[in-house]
Short mmCIF file of all heavy atoms in Angstrom, two decimals:
data_model
loop_
_atom_site.label_atom_id
_atom_site.label_comp_id
_atom_site.label_asym_id
_atom_site.label_seq_id
_atom_site.Cartn_x
_atom_site.Cartn_y
_atom_site.Cartn_z
N PHE E 1 1.26 11.09 9.93
CA PHE E 1 0.65 10.17 9.17
C PHE E 1 1.46 9.59 8.11
O PHE E 1 1.57 8.33 7.86
CB PHE E 1 -0.72 10.71 8.51
CG PHE E 1 -1.58 9.85 7.78
CD1 PHE E 1 -2.68 9.20 8.43
CD2 PHE E 1 -1.35 9.60 6.41
CE1 PHE E 1 -3.44 8.34 7.81
CE2 PHE E 1 -2.21 8.67 5.72
CZ PHE E 1 -3.20 8.06 6.54
N LEU E 2 2.17 10.38 7.42
CA LEU E 2 3.13 10.05 6.29
C LEU E 2 4.26 9.22 6.88
O LEU E 2 4.58 8.14 6.40
CB LEU E 2 3.63 11.27 5.58
CG LEU E 2 4.59 11.04 4.42
CD1 LEU E 2 3.91 10.13 3.35
CD2 LEU E 2 4.90 12.32 3.73
N ASP E 3 4.80 9.61 8.11
CA ASP E 3 5.80 8.80 8.68
C ASP E 3 5.42 7.36 8.92
O ASP E 3 6.12 6.45 8.70
CB ASP E 3 6.26 9.40 9.98
CG ASP E 3 7.12 10.72 9.85
OD1 ASP E 3 7.51 10.91 8.83
OD2 ASP E 3 7.11 11.57 10.82
N THR E 4 4.23 7.19 9.45
CA THR E 4 3.59 5.91 9.79
C THR E 4 3.51 5.14 8.46
O THR E 4 3.77 3.96 8.39
CB THR E 4 2.29 6.06 10.49
OG1 THR E 4 2.50 6.84 11.74
CG2 THR E 4 1.78 4.65 10.84
N VAL E 5 2.94 5.66 7.36
CA VAL E 5 2.75 5.00 6.15
C VAL E 5 4.15 4.42 5.63
O VAL E 5 4.17 3.35 5.14
CB VAL E 5 2.14 6.07 5.03
CG1 VAL E 5 2.33 5.40 3.65
CG2 VAL E 5 0.76 6.27 5.42
N LEU E 6 5.05 5.32 5.65
CA LEU E 6 6.36 4.94 5.08
C LEU E 6 7.21 3.95 5.91
O LEU E 6 7.99 3.09 5.50
CB LEU E 6 7.28 6.16 4.80
CG LEU E 6 6.77 7.05 3.67
CD1 LEU E 6 7.43 8.32 3.64
CD2 LEU E 6 7.12 6.33 2.25
N ASN E 7 7.07 4.12 7.33
CA ASN E 7 7.87 3.37 8.15
C ASN E 7 7.25 2.17 8.82
O ASN E 7 7.94 1.26 9.39
CB ASN E 7 8.51 4.26 9.24
CG ASN E 7 9.34 5.33 8.61
OD1 ASN E 7 10.20 5.13 7.81
ND2 ASN E 7 9.13 6.63 9.09
N VAL E 8 5.86 2.22 8.86
CA VAL E 8 5.17 1.14 9.50
C VAL E 8 4.22 0.32 8.63
O VAL E 8 4.28 -0.86 8.55
CB VAL E 8 4.33 1.59 10.69
CG1 VAL E 8 3.47 0.51 11.45
CG2 VAL E 8 5.21 2.34 11.73
N ARG E 9 3.53 1.05 7.83
CA ARG E 9 2.45 0.38 7.03
C ARG E 9 2.96 -0.26 5.80
O ARG E 9 2.71 -1.54 5.63
CB ARG E 9 1.29 1.41 6.79
CG ARG E 9 0.75 2.10 8.00
CD ARG E 9 -0.36 3.06 7.65
NE ARG E 9 -1.54 2.24 7.17
CZ ARG E 9 -2.78 2.95 6.79
NH1 ARG E 9 -2.64 4.26 6.82
NH2 ARG E 9 -3.69 2.14 6.38
N LEU E 10 3.52 0.50 4.91
CA LEU E 10 3.98 -0.08 3.58
C LEU E 10 5.03 -1.04 3.73
O LEU E 10 5.04 -2.10 2.99
CB LEU E 10 4.42 1.09 2.68
CG LEU E 10 3.34 2.03 2.27
CD1 LEU E 10 3.86 3.13 1.25
CD2 LEU E 10 2.01 1.29 1.56
N PRO E 11 6.07 -1.00 4.68
CA PRO E 11 7.09 -2.03 4.71
C PRO E 11 6.63 -3.34 5.42
O PRO E 11 7.39 -4.21 5.59
CB PRO E 11 8.22 -1.22 5.52
CG PRO E 11 7.82 0.06 5.56
CD PRO E 11 6.34 0.15 5.56
N ASN E 12 5.45 -3.44 5.97
CA ASN E 12 4.99 -4.48 6.75
C ASN E 12 5.01 -5.70 5.88
O ASN E 12 4.29 -6.01 4.98
CB ASN E 12 3.50 -4.28 7.24
CG ASN E 12 3.02 -5.30 8.23
OD1 ASN E 12 3.61 -6.37 8.35
ND2 ASN E 12 2.11 -4.91 9.07
N PRO E 13 5.97 -6.65 6.29
CA PRO E 13 6.16 -7.82 5.49
C PRO E 13 5.00 -8.87 5.53
O PRO E 13 4.90 -9.80 4.70
CB PRO E 13 7.46 -8.49 6.05
CG PRO E 13 7.50 -7.98 7.39
CD PRO E 13 6.89 -6.69 7.42
N PHE E 14 4.19 -8.77 6.59
CA PHE E 14 3.12 -9.64 6.72
C PHE E 14 1.89 -9.33 5.85
O PHE E 14 0.95 -10.17 5.77
CB PHE E 14 2.62 -9.75 8.24
CG PHE E 14 3.63 -10.25 9.20
CD1 PHE E 14 4.40 -9.62 10.10
CD2 PHE E 14 3.80 -11.68 9.09
CE1 PHE E 14 5.20 -10.21 10.87
CE2 PHE E 14 4.73 -12.34 10.02
CZ PHE E 14 5.41 -11.57 10.87
N MET E 15 1.85 -8.12 5.32
CA MET E 15 0.60 -7.70 4.54
C MET E 15 0.73 -8.21 3.13
O MET E 15 1.59 -7.64 2.36
CB MET E 15 0.54 -6.27 4.61
CG MET E 15 0.23 -5.64 6.08
SD MET E 15 -1.20 -6.43 6.85
CE MET E 15 -2.50 -5.90 5.65
N PRO E 16 -0.02 -9.08 2.68
CA PRO E 16 0.10 -9.78 1.46
C PRO E 16 -0.62 -8.93 0.28
O PRO E 16 -1.46 -9.43 -0.45
CB PRO E 16 -0.55 -11.14 1.57
CG PRO E 16 -1.61 -10.86 2.58
CD PRO E 16 -1.06 -9.86 3.47
N ASP E 17 -0.29 -7.60 0.26
CA ASP E 17 -0.91 -6.73 -0.78
C ASP E 17 0.00 -6.63 -1.97
O ASP E 17 1.19 -6.46 -1.81
CB ASP E 17 -1.19 -5.34 -0.21
CG ASP E 17 -2.58 -4.83 -0.64
OD1 ASP E 17 -3.15 -5.46 -1.52
OD2 ASP E 17 -2.99 -3.79 -0.02
N THR E 18 -0.56 -6.62 -3.16
CA THR E 18 0.21 -6.77 -4.31
C THR E 18 0.08 -5.51 -5.21
O THR E 18 -0.95 -4.87 -5.24
CB THR E 18 -0.25 -7.97 -5.20
OG1 THR E 18 -1.49 -7.69 -5.76
CG2 THR E 18 -0.23 -9.22 -4.38
N PRO E 19 1.17 -5.11 -5.86
CA PRO E 19 1.05 -3.99 -6.87
C PRO E 19 -0.02 -4.21 -7.91
O PRO E 19 -0.68 -3.30 -8.45
CB PRO E 19 2.46 -3.85 -7.35
CG PRO E 19 3.20 -5.12 -7.07
CD PRO E 19 2.58 -5.71 -5.91
N GLN E 20 -0.10 -5.47 -8.32
CA GLN E 20 -1.09 -5.87 -9.38
C GLN E 20 -2.54 -5.60 -8.88
O GLN E 20 -3.37 -5.16 -9.75
CB GLN E 20 -0.98 -7.35 -9.72
CG GLN E 20 0.27 -7.67 -10.47
CD GLN E 20 1.51 -7.66 -9.59
OE1 GLN E 20 1.42 -7.87 -8.31
NE2 GLN E 20 2.74 -7.62 -10.20
N ARG E 21 -2.82 -5.78 -7.70
CA ARG E 21 -4.25 -5.50 -7.25
C ARG E 21 -4.41 -3.94 -7.13
O ARG E 21 -5.39 -3.42 -7.57
CB ARG E 21 -4.45 -6.03 -5.79
CG ARG E 21 -5.83 -5.86 -5.25
CD ARG E 21 -6.07 -6.24 -3.84
NE ARG E 21 -5.38 -5.23 -2.92
CZ ARG E 21 -6.08 -4.14 -2.53
NH1 ARG E 21 -7.12 -3.81 -2.90
NH2 ARG E 21 -5.39 -3.32 -1.67
N ILE E 22 -3.46 -3.26 -6.63
CA ILE E 22 -3.59 -1.83 -6.34
C ILE E 22 -3.55 -1.16 -7.75
O ILE E 22 -4.11 0.00 -7.89
CB ILE E 22 -2.41 -1.26 -5.49
CG1 ILE E 22 -2.61 -1.86 -4.07
CG2 ILE E 22 -2.43 0.26 -5.40
CD1 ILE E 22 -1.35 -1.72 -3.23
N ALA E 23 -2.93 -1.67 -8.81
CA ALA E 23 -2.94 -1.11 -10.17
C ALA E 23 -4.33 -1.14 -10.83
O ALA E 23 -4.53 -0.48 -11.84
CB ALA E 23 -1.91 -1.71 -10.99
N THR E 24 -5.29 -1.79 -10.23
CA THR E 24 -6.64 -1.81 -10.77
C THR E 24 -7.11 -0.48 -10.91
O THR E 24 -7.09 0.30 -9.91
CB THR E 24 -7.47 -2.77 -9.97
OG1 THR E 24 -6.98 -4.00 -9.93
CG2 THR E 24 -8.85 -2.78 -10.48
N ASP E 25 -7.76 -0.06 -12.00
CA ASP E 25 -8.53 1.16 -12.24
C ASP E 25 -7.63 2.39 -12.05
O ASP E 25 -7.98 3.40 -11.62
CB ASP E 25 -9.75 1.29 -11.19
CG ASP E 25 -10.71 0.19 -11.41
OD1 ASP E 25 -10.75 -0.36 -12.50
OD2 ASP E 25 -11.49 -0.06 -10.47
N THR E 26 -6.30 2.26 -12.37
CA THR E 26 -5.40 3.37 -12.18
C THR E 26 -5.91 4.62 -12.92
O THR E 26 -5.74 5.80 -12.47
CB THR E 26 -4.00 3.12 -12.61
OG1 THR E 26 -3.48 1.93 -11.84
CG2 THR E 26 -3.02 4.19 -12.49
N SER E 27 -6.50 4.42 -14.14
CA SER E 27 -6.98 5.69 -14.84
C SER E 27 -8.00 6.56 -14.15
O SER E 27 -8.14 7.72 -14.36
CB SER E 27 -7.55 5.19 -16.19
OG SER E 27 -8.79 4.54 -16.03
N GLN E 28 -8.60 5.90 -13.11
CA GLN E 28 -9.69 6.58 -12.43
C GLN E 28 -9.11 7.13 -11.11
O GLN E 28 -9.81 7.91 -10.43
CB GLN E 28 -10.75 5.53 -11.95
CG GLN E 28 -11.34 4.68 -13.08
CD GLN E 28 -11.95 5.44 -14.07
OE1 GLN E 28 -13.06 6.13 -13.96
NE2 GLN E 28 -11.49 5.56 -15.32
N LYS E 29 -7.84 6.95 -10.79
CA LYS E 29 -7.22 7.38 -9.63
C LYS E 29 -6.21 8.54 -9.82
O LYS E 29 -6.00 9.31 -8.85
CB LYS E 29 -6.47 6.16 -8.93
CG LYS E 29 -7.33 5.01 -8.62
CD LYS E 29 -6.48 3.77 -8.12
CE LYS E 29 -7.29 2.66 -7.85
NZ LYS E 29 -6.42 1.38 -7.50
#
């Protein structure tokens, strides 16, 4: 699962996900 996250999912250049969106509610995470 971790291999897939690091080598397939997170590096995917087509996925327009931003650090600014994911940083939402960090205190709760």
Side-chain angles (χ1 to χ4, degrees):
F1 186 90
L2 184 55
D3 288 344
T4 301
V5 167
L6 287 164
N7 300 315
V8 177
R9 304 181 69 183
L10 295 180
N12 190 336
F14 288 109
M15 295 306 295
D17 222 347
T18 69
Q20 291 74 23
R21 183 190 74 83
I22 297 171
T24 299
D25 299 340
T26 298
S27 70
Q28 310 298 294
K29 301 171 180 176

